[in-house]
Structures are given as C-alpha cells and as structure tokens.
Amino acid sequence: MQATENQGGLQPQADAGEPQRDLRGEFLITLQSKRREAIAGRSGSGIEVEWTEDEEHYQGIDDANRAFQNANQLYRSRKAAILGSDARQPQTVRSVVFMNITRPYVDAASARVADMLLPTDDRSWEIKPTPLPRLSGMQLNKLAGAMGMSDVVQVQQLLDETAAKAQAAAERMQRAIDDPLVESNWHGEVRHLIEDAARIGSGVIKGPFPVMRTARVTHINPVTQLTEFVKVDEIKPGSKRIDAWNFFPDPACGENIHNGSYTWEREFIGKRQIKEMLQDESYEQAELLAVLREGPSRTSEGTESVYRASDDEYVMWIFYGYCAREHLARMGVELEEGDEDRLPTMAVMINDRLVKVVLSPQENGDFPYDVLAWQRRPGLPWGMGISRQIRTVQRMLNGSVRAMMDNSGLSAAPQVVIGNGVTPMDGRYTLSPGKVWRADANADVQDVRAAFSSFVVPSVQAELMNIITFALKMAEDTTGMPAMLQGIRGDAPNTLGGMQMQNNNATSVLRRLAKRFDDYMTRPHILRYFDWMMVYSDDESIKGDFEVDVRASSALVERDAQQQFLLQMVGLARDPAYEIDPAKLFAELCKGQRLDPKNFQLDEQQKAQRAQQGQDPTAQVKAKLLEAQARKANADATNTGMETLYSGVQTGQLISMNPAVAGLADGLARSVGFEDQDAAPIVPQPSGQIGADHQAGPAAMPANTDPLTPVHPDSPLLGVRQGIETPAADGAQR
C-alpha cells in the first residue's frame, strides 16, 4: 500500500468548462498550512520559553553570567546567541556565581526512575491471552449444540486446548515484539527519554516505524560445502527517542497528542542520507535530485533544537495525519476500492518538496509517537520537569550565594576616606604598603592623622547562610526528591521500620510517575507493536486474541521498597516449617539490586554434574561420620565380647583348678547386684563349705598335708602356684 511513483495516478474527471485542479499543489499547500499551524501553536503556548530557561538552568546559565560563558549554544535563535568573546557586553563587579543544584536533582531523579522502570532482567510489559473462563453446564450444552457436538466434556476439552494454544501463541508474540525492541536499544532510548522528561518536563519516543536492518547469517554452500557469511537486509519495526524540540503536534490535541488530527516531526539530515533515499523506490527520485541541486534551504521554520553553526544540513519534515482520497490518488498512492474519503497518511518534505507520500504503516491511523509528561499541565501535552519545579529555589540560592560573596568581598577590606588636600606621591589613589601621601598647604586638616579614615562593612555571613540552608531544604520539598533518594541519609530514622516508612513516603512521587509511564508510554507503544505484528508478520502462529499487561512498572517500583523485608526472610528460609525456596528468594534479592541471578546460579550442566556426584558435601561428610561411628561401635562391641570371653575362659580355668572359689565368687557377684542366669552352681559344693547362703561350716582336714607332694585339690601349694605368671595362661598351670 505504498506509492511507487508520484507521477500519474488517478485523476478526477473535470466537467466541460471547469478548469483543471492542481491537486498536487493543493496537497502541498494544505500540508504547509498545517505545519505553520503546528509551529505557531507550540510557540504561542509559551512552552518553548520555559524549555529554554529549564535547559539554561540545567547548564548553569542565567542573565547574570550568560556573558561569561565560552559559547552559549542553548539559545534557539542565531540572532539571540551570545558568545563569551563579545567585547560589547558590559563587565560587572557583582558576583555571578551560579550554585547549580538543578543538574544534580535532574540527574538523580532520571537515574532513579530509569533504574526502577528499566530492569536488566525483566520487562515492564507482558503479552497475555484473553481469558477463556470455564462455562456452566447450560452454557456448555448451548455451545455444544452450536458446534454440532453432543458431549459437553469434549467441548470443555476443546476450550482447554484452545487456551493452551493461546498461551503458547502469546509467548511467541511476546518474543516477536521483544526482538525489534532489543535491536532498537529500547532501554537506551527510553533512558534518554526519561532524562528529557526530568530536564524539560517532556520526553518523546517514536515507534514502531519501518527500519531497514541488516541481519548477518551464515550458511553452508551446497557446492563448495564451505561456511559463508551473508548479510540480509530486511524491513523491521523500530523505536527511537525524538527530541521534544523537533516534535510539533496538533495545537488542538489537548493533553493527549492522539486526540489531534496530525503531527509533524523535524529531522536534520545531510547529503549522504538523501543519496541513500535514492535507493528506496518509495521516494520520488526526481524530487530528491532537485533537492540535491538546490542545496539546503536558507529559510527555516520553527525554533531550532540546538544552535547550529553549519549550513550544510537539510531540514526534513515528516507528517502523520489524515488526507483526502483525491489528493492521495494524485500523488500515486495505491488505493483499494471502498477506501474512505480521508485516509491515514505519512508524507515527507525536504525544502518544501514532497519526496514521499504513502499510507500510514498504522492502518488504524494512530500516530507513532508517545509523550511522557513528568508532571502534567492542564490543557497541554507537555509536562513540567525537575528544572521547572526547582527554578524558584535555584533563584533563591543564586541570590543568597551572590549576596554572601558580595558581602564577603566588601567586608574583607576597609573603606578608606581621604580628606581634601591629601594627594599620593605616585598620583594613584590606591592603597599599597609603604606608600607616601603629601598634605598640601590648603589641606582641611592640620593633623595628618585626621586626613585618613576607614570604615569596615559589617559581615552578615551567618544570616545569608541561613537563607542558603532554607533554600536547600525547599529544594527537596518542591521536587519531591528527598536527599535520601540521592544517597544522603539526612534525618532518616535510625531504625528498620523508620527507614521503611520514609522510603515508602519518598517513593510515592516515583510510583505516580511509574503509573504515568504505564498509561502514556508502555501501553500504547506495545499495542502498536502488537497491531504491527498482526498485520505484517508472516508467522501465523503468533497471532491471536491477546492483551497487553503493563502493571509491571508499578511492581518494579514496589520491588525497591520490598528489599528490606526480603532480607528478613533470609533467616526464615532455613526453617522448613515456612516452606521457603532459598533459590527463589536469592533470585528476588538479586533482581532488587538490579543484578541478574543467572550470573550466580548453577546452569543445567552444573546441576547434572552435582546430581551425579551425589548430594550436598556436608550431608556426605555427615553420612561418612555416622558410618565411621557405627564401625567403631561394632569394633568396640567385638573387643568387649572378646575380653568377656577371655575373662570367662580364665575364670573357668581357675574354678576348675579350685572349685571351692565358685561359691565365694557367686556371693560376691550377688552383693553388687548381679543376677545369676543359671541357678544351679557351676561346680557342686560339698556340704559344710561356703554356699549360696554365705554361711561357712567347719572344713574337713585333708589326709595328706605334705606341701611338697600335694595329692588333693585343696592342697595349700595351689595358692602359691596361683600367683606365678605362666606363659600358657594367666591361671594356675596344672
């Protein structure tokens, strides 16, 4: 649906006697009138004056010190540009110090917002399928009848399968949208936009718009079987940040540019870009060649974005809006039967020459622009930034600091008064060490000590410092950016709860901005990408009934305030009663610190290796320790059994040699609590001997009492032999 030629096209048939209409000239005049209307509307709103003041304060420039700047390039008109070398500027003796607190506040605010809204491991939007709820029995019966199915279970299964396919398609659509955003450096462009919004109150981003990108791929040559490197040019959607100075919406748009009828974008290009346009068939070759012959136009419309010293650049104007069908037909735009009388159009002008006219890539007519207002202004699409919020405080600070510097200079040296008739010898009325002064004969005083008098200007440094401190405090209140958000703790409570409360209060302004970012930037921008993919993508598997979920931006702001609570949960993760996954908790902590948890976690290969090696090394050590303790217990039990067996053998040997000892041993064992497992005595005891009742009767004397030739077991010689150590056994040897 793009024009290939600007010549020819469909021409309306004129009646006899009616002059031929110059539709091309009418179309060009219409566009020029709309451009002048947009330029005058923005200039008349007064926003350009405020933008200039805001950017000057960001650079540390005001009316007092402008003449002392080396090169002031912030004035948007060459006539108003003032160079520091201009000798005609009067020199002042007053202080022109500019205590710039605007820049750090703007940088801190933009950096803080960008860190929270542009995480490294997450996105602030998500593509989700339209929910398909489960139907009631009556609804399933109706649906089954409509689908020609008799079983409602099959209908429900079909709905479930459809929902699963829609979820998979939504994930593929999300990847398809994410790919051109990554190639366009989405994070970098949005970060630049946030800086613009913090500085002048408004940031503009453009997209999606067609971009020619070069894809680098490799393939194997089927003939040579060699790997070849190939570059493929393809048209893909892209996004980029637009300088607010170069964007001119319809003055009647109100607070939303999409409520207007058209938009204009200005871009400065060189000859190389125009020569590249000659390779694109959608541009009119003859008009581009005419532009190159004419050179850059000497007249410019609209306040320039920067002070430009070079005149070798061309001004290109890009128009998006609705145009008449007859005008588009005259310009050679391919139209279809049944198209409306006014169609969404995109036109390009260079040197007031129409070099391109096509139908807008957005079939619904949406403008490919979004404006982020830091703080809304009623009736205007532009916002109010940190520079404007802190402007009054910046003036207070500059005035008090300059007064303090002036007072310091005046009070540093005394004011000297010289009487009449007193002249310096060197002819110069200045003070210097050892200087000679002469009192004339007609002097008013006779005493030369009264010819000079000095006065000291009072120093009011303390009073002026109080004003400076008050101005610094007001800077926090007027911007909603406490010093704590800039890395300065200030008077924050020295408790965890107090710090959380102050952090929540401090981020309330940022949460408001995050919501505006969702409503006026992310949602319309991603929706246009979704429409682009639905119309131009060749992959049918990504298309479906989806919706864009953009609540993540607000959640990203809340994540920063949740870090303190997550740190408290680290101790709870060790308790199995809470069923907390330490790996997921660690991942959330890394995300809060803008770190990618994948950089610290094990990959699948390392997990597989750990699974092959076994469980946790600590558990392995504990298991080996228990195994060693079990072996030691078995060894100790075996050793104890062997010692018991050895003692039993020795005891049996002794009792067999001296049976009379058995009864005495049994009595001693029972006295210490031993329970006899065998009631019968091991060795039968003769009557009258020491028995189980521990009563000793009279012992019978042996017949042979010769100690040298013992023949009876009760011989006294046995007691002597029991004390002799023998190599065979510890008992008496027979």
Side-chain angles (χ1 to χ4, degrees):
M1 299 176 66
Q2 291 183 347
T4 57
E5 293 183 2
N6 279 351
Q7 304 294 334
L10 300 178
Q11 295 290 337
Q13 298 296 327
D15 296 336
E18 182 180 349
Q20 181 71 30
R21 294 172 56 191
D22 185 7
L23 295 179
R24 182 183 180 88
E26 289 181 5
F27 185 53
L28 181 59
I29 293 174
T30 301
L31 293 181
Q32 290 175 341
S33 63
K34 290 182 178 180
R35 185 179 65 185
R36 287 192 295 267
E37 181 183 7
I39 293 173
R42 198 185 76 175
S43 177
S45 66
I47 194 65
E48 295 181 355
V49 177
E50 293 193 0
W51 286 355
T52 301
E53 294 175 350
D54 294 342
E55 293 202 359
E56 283 186 342
H57 271 211
Y58 180 79
Q59 299 292 341
I61 301 173
D62 63 359
D63 293 337
N65 68 346
R66 181 172 290 111
F68 296 90
Q69 302 298 320
N70 292 331
N72 178 13
Q73 296 186 354
L74 295 177
Y75 255 54
R76 266 52 190 192
S77 173
R78 291 188 178 92
K79 296 179 180 179
I82 300 176
L83 302 180
S85 59
D86 194 345
R88 295 174 296 176
Q89 295 297 322
Q91 300 296 325
T92 178
V93 295
R94 302 289 302 274
S95 174
V96 294
V97 173
F98 194 104
M99 296 299 297
N100 195 346
I101 63 173
T102 301
R103 180 191 292 271
Y105 267 88
V106 169
D107 293 344
S110 60
R112 181 71 172 179
V113 172
D115 285 345
M116 289 188 294
L117 298 184
L118 301 173
T120 57
D121 59 336
D122 203 353
R123 62 178 62 89
S124 60
W125 56 274
E126 184 179 4
I127 301 296
K128 293 184 177 181
T130 301
L132 294 174
R134 291 184 175 273
L135 303 179
S136 63
M138 183 179 299
Q139 292 173 327
L140 286 175
N141 290 328
K142 292 182 179 180
L143 184 59
M147 299 175 62
M149 304 174 65
S150 59
D151 190 358
V152 295
V153 177
Q154 296 180 358
V155 176
Q156 186 62 57
Q157 291 178 353
L158 181 61
L159 292 177
D160 294 340
E161 293 176 0
T162 304
K165 293 180 180 179
Q167 180 63 36
E171 294 177 357
R172 289 191 292 269
M173 172 64 78
Q174 181 170 293
R175 290 194 296 269
I177 296 176
D178 201 23
D179 179 65
L181 291 179
V182 172
E183 292 181 349
S184 301
N185 189 20
W186 166 258
H187 281 196
E189 297 296 328
V190 174
R191 189 174 292 108
H192 201 173
L193 173 143
I194 293 174
E195 293 174 357
D196 291 343
R199 187 178 67 256
I200 63 176
S202 303
V204 183
I205 195 168
K206 180 182 180 180
F209 65 98
V211 180
M212 184 68 70
R213 298 194 183 279
T214 302
R216 297 168 176 82
V217 296
T218 59
H219 75 99
I220 299 178
N221 192 314
V223 179
T224 62
Q225 297 298 320
L226 298 176
T227 302
E228 298 179 352
F229 182 76
V230 181
K231 295 182 179 181
V232 180
D233 293 334
E234 56 181 350
I235 299 177
K236 301 183 67 175
S239 299
K240 68 176 181 179
R241 166 259 179 190
I242 301 296
D243 191 353
W245 285 96
N246 292 331
F247 183 66
F248 301 84
D250 184 357
C253 66
E255 295 186 21
N256 191 347
I257 64 170
H258 297 282
N259 294 333
S261 302
Y262 59 86
T263 60
W264 283 95
E265 177 193 349
R266 179 180 56 191
E267 186 175 352
F268 297 92
I269 60 175
K271 291 183 179 180
R272 182 177 64 84
Q273 286 86 351
I274 297 180
K275 292 180 181 179
E276 292 177 355
M277 294 178 185
L278 291 172
Q279 309 301 323
D280 191 345
E281 295 181 354
S282 62
Y283 287 90
E284 184 179 353
Q285 312 298 316
E287 294 293 329
L288 289 176
L289 293 175
V291 168
L292 291 175
R293 289 193 301 268
E294 294 172 355
S297 176
R298 301 306 178 192
T299 60
S300 60
E301 295 187 51
T303 307
E304 294 181 353
S305 59
V306 292
Y307 176 76
R308 297 179 177 273
S310 175
D311 294 331
D312 295 335
E313 290 180 313
Y314 296 82
V315 181
M316 180 174 67
W317 292 89
I318 304 174
F319 168 84
Y320 283 91
Y322 283 82
C323 297
R325 176 188 176 91
E326 57 180 355
H327 290 161
L328 298 180
R330 172 63 183 87
M331 300 303 299
V333 178
E334 298 178 1
L335 302 177
E336 298 179 358
E337 295 293 336
D339 285 341
E340 299 178 356
D341 292 337
R342 299 186 63 83
L343 299 173
T345 307
M346 179 262 198
V348 180
M349 297 174 58
I350 304 177
N351 285 1
D352 286 342
R353 288 181 174 272
L354 279 170
V355 298
K356 182 177 183 179
V357 178
V358 296
L359 293 178
S360 175
Q362 299 290 332
E363 291 189 345
N364 56 3
D366 287 347
F367 306 138
Y369 301 97
D370 295 302
V371 178
L372 174 63
W374 189 275
Q375 181 179 347
R376 62 178 290 268
R377 293 175 184 264
L380 290 177
W382 317 110
M384 180 184 300
I386 297 295
S387 295
R388 178 57 49 175
Q389 293 174 352
I390 205 174
R391 181 170 179 79
T392 301
V393 178
Q394 181 70 72
R395 286 180 172 179
M396 292 172 53
L397 184 62
N398 288 343
S400 57
V401 170
R402 290 169 181 174
M404 185 176 67
M405 298 300 294
D406 292 339
N407 178 256
S408 177
L410 292 175
S411 61
Q415 302 294 317
V416 179
V417 179
I418 305 175
N420 295 330
V422 179
T423 58
M425 292 294 296
D426 56 1
R428 295 188 302 171
Y429 286 87
T430 57
L431 296 178
S432 62
K435 190 169 185 176
V436 179
W437 297 78
R438 173 181 296 173
D440 299 334
N442 58 352
D444 295 340
V445 295
Q446 298 298 325
D447 189 356
V448 294
R449 290 175 297 179
F452 286 85
S453 181
S454 63
F455 301 90
V456 178
V457 177
S459 176
V460 290
Q461 303 293 310
E463 291 80 359
L464 293 174
M465 183 57 67
N466 291 335
I467 300 177
I468 295 175
T469 304
F470 172 73
L472 295 176
K473 179 62 174 65
M474 288 300 298
E476 300 182 16
D477 298 338
T478 56
T479 60
M481 292 290 297
M484 187 182 68
L485 293 183
Q486 304 178 48
I488 305 174
R489 180 177 175 273
D491 55 351
N494 195 20
T495 60
L496 179 59
M499 290 291 291
Q500 279 186 316
M501 183 180 300
Q502 179 159 341
N503 187 57
N504 292 336
N505 295 336
T507 56
S508 60
V509 178
L510 302 181
R511 288 195 294 269
R512 173 191 60 80
L513 183 60
K515 190 60 180 175
R516 294 187 61 85
F517 186 84
D518 285 346
D519 296 339
Y520 297 99
M521 291 296 302
T522 307
R523 181 182 297 279
H525 202 85
I526 301 302
L527 279 177
R528 288 198 299 272
Y529 266 96
F530 172 76
D531 295 339
W532 181 289
M533 294 298 175
M534 292 292 291
V535 174
Y536 298 107
S537 178
D538 297 332
D539 188 0
E540 296 295 332
S541 64
I542 69 174
K543 300 180 181 181
D545 187 11
F546 306 139
E547 61 181 2
V548 179
D549 184 10
V550 295
R551 64 169 181 254
S553 293
S554 302
L556 293 173
V557 177
E558 294 293 340
R559 177 194 291 180
D560 219 41
Q562 294 171 356
Q563 287 301 297
Q564 296 294 337
F565 179 71
L566 292 177
L567 291 175
Q568 297 178 13
M569 292 178 60
V570 174
L572 301 178
R574 302 187 183 96
D575 192 344
Y578 294 100
E579 298 180 355
I580 299 177
D581 190 346
K584 294 181 179 179
L585 178 60
F586 172 76
E588 291 297 325
L589 287 172
C590 289
K591 291 179 181 179
Q593 298 298 325
R594 292 169 290 279
L595 298 174
D596 189 355
K598 296 180 182 179
N599 296 333
F600 310 97
Q601 294 175 340
L602 299 176
D603 55 21
E604 296 300 329
Q605 183 178 1
Q606 292 173 331
K607 291 179 181 179
Q609 293 177 356
R610 173 167 290 188
Q612 294 176 358
Q613 294 175 358
Q615 299 179 352
D616 187 14
T618 304
Q620 294 180 0
V621 172
K622 291 182 179 179
K624 292 182 179 180
L625 178 60
L626 294 176
E627 183 180 356
Q629 291 176 348
R631 290 197 301 268
K632 183 177 183 301
N634 292 334
D636 292 343
T638 302
N639 188 31
T640 302
M642 294 300 297
E643 291 178 355
T644 302
L645 179 62
Y646 177 77
S647 299
V649 172
Q650 296 295 331
T651 302
Q653 183 180 3
L654 292 175
I655 292 176
S656 65
M657 296 177 63
N658 189 4
V661 181
L664 178 60
D666 289 343
L668 292 174
R670 283 193 296 270
S671 67
V672 297
F674 175 76
E675 295 182 1
D676 194 357
Q677 303 297 325
D678 189 1
I682 299 176
V683 180
Q685 297 295 326
S687 177
Q689 297 297 325
I690 300 177
D693 55 358
H694 299 276
Q695 295 180 358
M701 295 299 295
N704 185 6
T705 60
D706 186 0
L708 298 178
T709 58
V711 296
H712 195 272
D714 296 333
S715 175
L717 184 59
L718 295 177
V720 178
R721 291 185 177 181
Q722 289 178 357
I724 300 176
E725 296 182 357
T726 61
D730 290 340
Q733 189 175 16
R734 295 183 65 91

